[in-house]
Amino acid sequence: MNRPPIDLRSDTVTRPTPEMKRAMLEAPVGDDVYGDDPSVNALEARTAELLGKEAALFVPSGTMANQIAVAVHTRPGDELLCAETSHVYVWEAGGVARHSGVTARTFPGDLGLLRLEEIEDAIRPDDIHYTRTRLVWLENTHNRGGGRVQTMESVAAIRHWARENQLAMHLDGARLMNAVVATGTSAADWARHFDTVSICFSKGLGAPVGSALAGSADTIKRARAVRKLLGGGMRQAGFIAAGAHHALDHHVERLADDHAHARILADAFSATEGFSLESGPVETNLVWVTVDPSLGTAAEVVAYLKTHGIRLSALGGQVVRACTHLDVSREDAEYAAKVIRQIEPAMITAVTLVY
Ligand SMILES: *Cc1c(COP(=O)(O)O)cnc(C)c1O
């Protein structure tokens, strides 16, 4: 078996294409902390336009974009409302508490997609006993929610309510472009319901490094100061900004291929005894699968597939995630699907004995 491993662990594992590398090497650069990097400035202007906002800020990671968003919308002691499976709550090292002194009030949502009915009575009264409810946090597409898209109708309803109650809204749009391609609704149309929006260039878009935060000119001015505070002021960052530029030029429409490849994998899991799709039909590039204990554990399934050159993530005792991206071809997806369809409990057990 001489094929290179098919890495479905995350859409962050992509390597820059030769064309992207060339664009990066040739990028004009300057000191971005001085505002002198033409490639960063161009990317920030372009991202602001893409998201229909006045300004944008280039940052090293999606985590930093989110943490800055919390900081600019809140004061220490405030509360934000989010789904309990949100990236900001689960996978950002408790940063909302540590960096901004904010508490998160969490809700189950529809497997992560926050519903207005859950949060509409959650605003704390203006009373000395309570913290100030300040920020509503959505994630679209929702990673732990199976990569599903929160509908525009639901987003608009939450926005309407948030505005009536003077709450700010942030969109963790690490995979917003997947939602754009899956729905045909533009990034600016999604973004207009939010005060700030973060997007990642290093997920499905395939750039090696970088995310951005977009919002009003005043908000982004304050965000720039928080970025410096967090140590995120980079110097000749144009080299990496050029990768993001290239990704926006060449890697957006092709996300539809990732979605088609994810459906090939999802169909294979659905058709195989012992697996079920956690959150229904796959809409974008993530496939979250529950492993029935009669088949084995998530870690055992991952170990078995690894022996066939297929890498998945075990994210919980009985849950695996497969993620499609730029470096997974249709042929790769079809090969992985074939291997998945042949899985039987005895195979999983056999690997477990060896490992
Ligand atoms: C990956 C991810 C982030 C954070 O991005 P990093 O660049 O890894 O810090 C934020 N939100 C969601 C939903 C993500 O999937």
Side-chain angles (χ1 to χ4, degrees):
M1 192 178 48
N2 289 321
R3 53 169 63 239
I6 300 169
D7 197 343
L8 303 167
R9 287 174 302 165
S10 173
D11 45 7
T12 54
V13 300
T14 56
R15 251 68 63 97
T17 60
E19 299 76 34
M20 182 183 276
K21 276 188 196 160
R22 200 167 314 122
M24 293 172 73
L25 267 178
E26 291 169 3
V29 297
D31 188 330
D32 180 49
V33 174
Y34 290 173
D36 282 352
D37 192 303
S39 300
V40 172
N41 292 342
L43 179 67
E44 290 180 345
R46 179 181 189 177
T47 305
E49 195 184 324
L50 174 75
L51 296 170
K53 300 292 183 201
E54 285 172 1
L57 181 71
F58 185 53
V59 294
S61 68
T63 298
M64 191 181 288
N66 282 346
Q67 292 300 317
I68 293 172
V70 176
V72 296
H73 289 304
T74 61
R75 299 190 300 245
D78 284 350
E79 176 179 76
L80 70 81
L81 310 180
C82 67
E84 64 194 14
T85 51
S86 302
H87 194 280
V88 72
Y89 183 62
V90 180
W91 285 290
E92 297 184 17
V96 301
R98 197 145 169 191
H99 297 308
S100 296
V102 164
T103 54
R105 188 148 167 221
T106 61
F107 303 83
D110 161 22
L111 249 175
L113 304 182
L114 216 55
R115 290 168 301 171
L116 178 59
E117 307 88 84
E118 286 176 296
I119 55 175
E120 62 189 347
D121 295 325
I123 300 173
R124 306 283 183 187
D126 183 5
D127 175 299
I128 58 163
H129 290 88
Y130 301 110
T131 178
R132 181 178 72 148
T133 307
R134 175 58 192 140
L135 176 61
V136 182
W137 193 277
L138 301 186
E139 182 181 311
N140 210 7
T141 67
H142 201 283
N143 173 15
R144 192 65 186 80
R148 282 174 311 150
V149 179
Q150 180 145 15
T151 64
M152 185 56 89
E153 197 188 0
S154 158
V155 171
I158 292 173
R159 174 54 159 182
H160 181 76
W161 163 84
R163 196 169 262 158
E164 281 185 341
N165 292 284
Q166 284 92 47
L167 304 180
M169 270 185 55
H170 175 75
L171 171 61
D172 178 349
R175 296 191 182 83
L176 178 62
M177 298 316 288
N178 293 87
V180 166
V181 168
T183 59
T185 300
S186 75
D189 274 344
W190 286 111
R192 87 193 145 81
H193 294 291
F194 298 87
D195 298 288
T196 50
V197 178
S198 52
I199 61 168
C200 284
F201 303 113
S202 58
K203 294 268 164 89
L205 293 177
V209 186
S211 288
L213 178 71
S216 71
D218 173 62
T219 303
I220 295 306
K221 185 168 174 231
R222 289 185 293 119
R224 199 173 287 280
V226 180
R227 183 185 70 173
K228 193 76 184 81
L229 172 71
L230 295 176
M234 298 180 284
R235 301 297 178 174
Q236 283 70 30
F239 289 120
I240 54 176
H245 255 299
H246 184 89
L248 288 175
D249 284 339
H250 300 285
H251 296 169
V252 176
E253 281 83 28
R254 64 151 306 285
L255 291 172
D257 299 339
D258 295 346
H259 301 172
H261 299 163
R263 284 193 294 273
I264 292 173
L265 298 172
D267 288 347
F269 281 116
S270 308
T272 308
E273 195 139 339
F275 294 116
S276 52
L277 291 186
E278 247 201 332
S279 37
V282 162
E283 296 176 19
T284 59
N285 69 325
L286 304 178
V287 189
W288 285 80
V289 182
T290 306
V291 181
D292 192 89
S294 65
L295 185 62
T297 64
E300 287 165 354
V301 168
V302 167
Y304 170 76
L305 287 171
K306 200 171 165 204
T307 65
H308 286 263
I310 299 162
R311 306 201 63 188
L312 255 61
S313 291
L315 293 162
Q318 297 299 135
V319 177
V320 297
R321 188 187 73 174
C323 190
T324 55
H325 51 75
L326 195 60
D327 292 351
V328 177
S329 66
R330 185 182 183 91
E331 204 233 321
D332 291 338
E334 281 170 353
Y335 172 76
K338 196 176 92 189
V339 173
I340 290 160
R341 284 172 188 270
Q342 289 165 354
I343 290 181
E344 286 175 20
M347 299 174 178
I348 303 294
T349 322
V351 170
T352 315
L353 290 175
V354 174
Y355 277 67

PDB file of all heavy atoms in Angstrom, residues 61-63 66 87 92 139 143 172 174-175 200 202-203 211, ligand 1:
ATOM      1  N   SER A  61      -4.179  33.871  14.324  1.00  0.00           N
ATOM      2  CA  SER A  61      -5.023  32.668  14.440  1.00  0.00           C
ATOM      3  C   SER A  61      -6.483  33.048  14.659  1.00  0.00           C
ATOM      4  O   SER A  61      -6.802  34.169  15.083  1.00  0.00           O
ATOM      5  CB  SER A  61      -4.560  31.821  15.632  1.00  0.00           C
ATOM      6  OG  SER A  61      -4.839  32.514  16.842  1.00  0.00           O
ATOM      7  N   GLY A  62      -7.340  32.066  14.421  1.00  0.00           N
ATOM      8  CA  GLY A  62      -8.771  32.266  14.672  1.00  0.00           C
ATOM      9  C   GLY A  62      -9.031  32.455  16.153  1.00  0.00           C
ATOM     10  O   GLY A  62      -9.932  33.204  16.550  1.00  0.00           O
ATOM     11  N   THR A  63      -8.253  31.769  16.964  1.00  0.00           N
ATOM     12  CA  THR A  63      -8.407  31.928  18.410  1.00  0.00           C
ATOM     13  C   THR A  63      -8.143  33.374  18.802  1.00  0.00           C
ATOM     14  O   THR A  63      -8.907  33.976  19.566  1.00  0.00           O
ATOM     15  CB  THR A  63      -7.443  30.972  19.144  1.00  0.00           C
ATOM     16  OG1 THR A  63      -7.789  29.630  18.791  1.00  0.00           O
ATOM     17  CG2 THR A  63      -7.518  31.151  20.649  1.00  0.00           C
ATOM     18  N   ASN A  66     -11.034  35.626  17.791  1.00  0.00           N
ATOM     19  CA  ASN A  66     -12.171  35.491  18.713  1.00  0.00           C
ATOM     20  C   ASN A  66     -11.887  36.166  20.046  1.00  0.00           C
ATOM     21  O   ASN A  66     -12.743  36.857  20.601  1.00  0.00           O
ATOM     22  CB  ASN A  66     -12.480  34.006  18.944  1.00  0.00           C
ATOM     23  CG  ASN A  66     -13.235  33.384  17.777  1.00  0.00           C
ATOM     24  OD1 ASN A  66     -13.758  34.097  16.926  1.00  0.00           O
ATOM     25  ND2 ASN A  66     -13.293  32.063  17.753  1.00  0.00           N
ATOM     26  N   HIS A  87     -16.570  26.827  19.792  1.00  0.00           N
ATOM     27  CA  HIS A  87     -15.111  26.836  19.822  1.00  0.00           C
ATOM     28  C   HIS A  87     -14.604  27.768  20.915  1.00  0.00           C
ATOM     29  O   HIS A  87     -13.698  27.436  21.687  1.00  0.00           O
ATOM     30  CB  HIS A  87     -14.555  27.260  18.457  1.00  0.00           C
ATOM     31  CG  HIS A  87     -13.105  26.983  18.297  1.00  0.00           C
ATOM     32  ND1 HIS A  87     -12.126  27.792  18.827  1.00  0.00           N
ATOM     33  CD2 HIS A  87     -12.451  25.970  17.688  1.00  0.00           C
ATOM     34  CE1 HIS A  87     -10.930  27.301  18.545  1.00  0.00           C
ATOM     35  NE2 HIS A  87     -11.101  26.185  17.856  1.00  0.00           N
ATOM     36  N   GLU A  92     -10.649  27.203  23.394  1.00  0.00           N
ATOM     37  CA  GLU A  92      -9.776  28.375  23.451  1.00  0.00           C
ATOM     38  C   GLU A  92      -9.204  28.588  24.846  1.00  0.00           C
ATOM     39  O   GLU A  92      -8.950  29.705  25.289  1.00  0.00           O
ATOM     40  CB  GLU A  92     -10.506  29.618  22.891  1.00  0.00           C
ATOM     41  CG  GLU A  92     -10.836  29.398  21.418  1.00  0.00           C
ATOM     42  CD  GLU A  92     -11.474  30.561  20.698  1.00  0.00           C
ATOM     43  OE1 GLU A  92     -11.414  31.690  21.188  1.00  0.00           O
ATOM     44  OE2 GLU A  92     -12.030  30.307  19.608  1.00  0.00           O
ATOM     45  N   GLU A 139     -21.606  30.680  15.826  1.00  0.00           N
ATOM     46  CA  GLU A 139     -20.521  30.034  15.078  1.00  0.00           C
ATOM     47  C   GLU A 139     -21.148  29.412  13.840  1.00  0.00           C
ATOM     48  O   GLU A 139     -22.042  28.578  13.963  1.00  0.00           O
ATOM     49  CB  GLU A 139     -19.878  28.964  15.980  1.00  0.00           C
ATOM     50  CG  GLU A 139     -18.710  28.236  15.376  1.00  0.00           C
ATOM     51  CD  GLU A 139     -18.151  27.183  16.342  1.00  0.00           C
ATOM     52  OE1 GLU A 139     -17.907  27.487  17.531  1.00  0.00           O
ATOM     53  OE2 GLU A 139     -17.986  26.026  15.908  1.00  0.00           O
ATOM     54  N   ASN A 143     -18.754  23.893  14.015  1.00  0.00           N
ATOM     55  CA  ASN A 143     -17.858  22.732  13.988  1.00  0.00           C
ATOM     56  C   ASN A 143     -18.496  21.519  14.679  1.00  0.00           C
ATOM     57  O   ASN A 143     -18.793  20.504  14.053  1.00  0.00           O
ATOM     58  CB  ASN A 143     -16.533  23.130  14.657  1.00  0.00           C
ATOM     59  CG  ASN A 143     -15.573  21.974  14.835  1.00  0.00           C
ATOM     60  OD1 ASN A 143     -15.735  20.906  14.242  1.00  0.00           O
ATOM     61  ND2 ASN A 143     -14.567  22.175  15.661  1.00  0.00           N
ATOM     62  N   ASP A 172     -18.328  33.794  14.916  1.00  0.00           N
ATOM     63  CA  ASP A 172     -17.119  33.008  14.697  1.00  0.00           C
ATOM     64  C   ASP A 172     -17.298  32.340  13.335  1.00  0.00           C
ATOM     65  O   ASP A 172     -17.957  31.314  13.204  1.00  0.00           O
ATOM     66  CB  ASP A 172     -16.946  31.965  15.805  1.00  0.00           C
ATOM     67  CG  ASP A 172     -15.714  31.090  15.579  1.00  0.00           C
ATOM     68  OD1 ASP A 172     -15.123  31.155  14.482  1.00  0.00           O
ATOM     69  OD2 ASP A 172     -15.356  30.331  16.504  1.00  0.00           O
ATOM     70  N   ALA A 174     -14.989  31.025  11.362  1.00  0.00           N
ATOM     71  CA  ALA A 174     -13.796  30.274  10.944  1.00  0.00           C
ATOM     72  C   ALA A 174     -14.074  29.562   9.616  1.00  0.00           C
ATOM     73  O   ALA A 174     -13.220  29.516   8.731  1.00  0.00           O
ATOM     74  CB  ALA A 174     -13.395  29.265  12.021  1.00  0.00           C
ATOM     75  N   ARG A 175     -15.318  29.039   9.488  1.00  0.00           N
ATOM     76  CA  ARG A 175     -15.710  28.360   8.252  1.00  0.00           C
ATOM     77  C   ARG A 175     -16.880  29.067   7.572  1.00  0.00           C
ATOM     78  O   ARG A 175     -17.726  28.425   6.946  1.00  0.00           O
ATOM     79  CB  ARG A 175     -16.054  26.895   8.537  1.00  0.00           C
ATOM     80  CG  ARG A 175     -14.869  26.097   9.038  1.00  0.00           C
ATOM     81  CD  ARG A 175     -15.128  24.602   9.082  1.00  0.00           C
ATOM     82  NE  ARG A 175     -13.972  23.907   9.615  1.00  0.00           N
ATOM     83  CZ  ARG A 175     -13.700  23.749  10.917  1.00  0.00           C
ATOM     84  NH1 ARG A 175     -14.538  24.226  11.825  1.00  0.00           N
ATOM     85  NH2 ARG A 175     -12.612  23.110  11.307  1.00  0.00           N
ATOM     86  N   CYS A 200     -11.226  32.461   9.166  1.00  0.00           N
ATOM     87  CA  CYS A 200      -9.916  31.808   9.139  1.00  0.00           C
ATOM     88  C   CYS A 200      -9.483  31.572   7.703  1.00  0.00           C
ATOM     89  O   CYS A 200     -10.258  31.034   6.907  1.00  0.00           O
ATOM     90  CB  CYS A 200      -9.975  30.438   9.828  1.00  0.00           C
ATOM     91  SG  CYS A 200     -10.022  30.520  11.611  1.00  0.00           S
ATOM     92  N   SER A 202      -6.777  29.742   7.303  1.00  0.00           N
ATOM     93  CA  SER A 202      -5.972  28.523   7.451  1.00  0.00           C
ATOM     94  C   SER A 202      -6.811  27.270   7.622  1.00  0.00           C
ATOM     95  O   SER A 202      -6.287  26.204   7.888  1.00  0.00           O
ATOM     96  CB  SER A 202      -5.044  28.682   8.653  1.00  0.00           C
ATOM     97  OG  SER A 202      -5.819  28.940   9.806  1.00  0.00           O
ATOM     98  N   LYS A 203      -8.120  27.378   7.469  1.00  0.00           N
ATOM     99  CA  LYS A 203      -8.966  26.174   7.492  1.00  0.00           C
ATOM    100  C   LYS A 203      -9.161  25.734   6.039  1.00  0.00           C
ATOM    101  O   LYS A 203      -8.192  25.585   5.318  1.00  0.00           O
ATOM    102  CB  LYS A 203     -10.278  26.485   8.212  1.00  0.00           C
ATOM    103  CG  LYS A 203     -10.080  26.785   9.694  1.00  0.00           C
ATOM    104  CD  LYS A 203     -10.210  25.542  10.558  1.00  0.00           C
ATOM    105  CE  LYS A 203      -9.658  25.718  11.946  1.00  0.00           C
ATOM    106  NZ  LYS A 203     -10.615  26.228  12.921  1.00  0.00           N
ATOM    107  N   SER A 211      -5.860  34.631  10.230  1.00  0.00           N
ATOM    108  CA  SER A 211      -7.291  34.851  10.345  1.00  0.00           C
ATOM    109  C   SER A 211      -7.510  36.346  10.309  1.00  0.00           C
ATOM    110  O   SER A 211      -6.548  37.116  10.285  1.00  0.00           O
ATOM    111  CB  SER A 211      -7.812  34.277  11.670  1.00  0.00           C
ATOM    112  OG  SER A 211      -7.825  32.865  11.623  1.00  0.00           O
TER     113      SER A 211
HETATM  114  C1  LIG B   1     -10.310  26.417  14.140  1.00  0.00           C
HETATM  115  C2  LIG B   1     -11.393  27.253  14.704  1.00  0.00           C
HETATM  116  C3  LIG B   1     -11.109  28.441  15.376  1.00  0.00           C
HETATM  117  C4  LIG B   1      -9.703  28.876  15.745  1.00  0.00           C
HETATM  118  O1  LIG B   1      -8.785  28.893  14.803  1.00  0.00           O
HETATM  119  P1  LIG B   1      -7.210  28.693  15.091  1.00  0.00           P
HETATM  120  O2  LIG B   1      -6.633  29.383  13.928  1.00  0.00           O
HETATM  121  O3  LIG B   1      -6.989  27.232  15.130  1.00  0.00           O
HETATM  122  O4  LIG B   1      -6.880  29.371  16.378  1.00  0.00           O
HETATM  123  C5  LIG B   1     -12.160  29.208  15.815  1.00  0.00           C
HETATM  124  N1  LIG B   1     -13.421  28.813  15.620  1.00  0.00           N
HETATM  125  C6  LIG B   1     -13.749  27.679  14.996  1.00  0.00           C
HETATM  126  C7  LIG B   1     -15.165  27.322  14.802  1.00  0.00           C
HETATM  127  C8  LIG B   1     -12.740  26.849  14.525  1.00  0.00           C
HETATM  128  O5  LIG B   1     -13.063  25.698  13.923  1.00  0.00           O
END
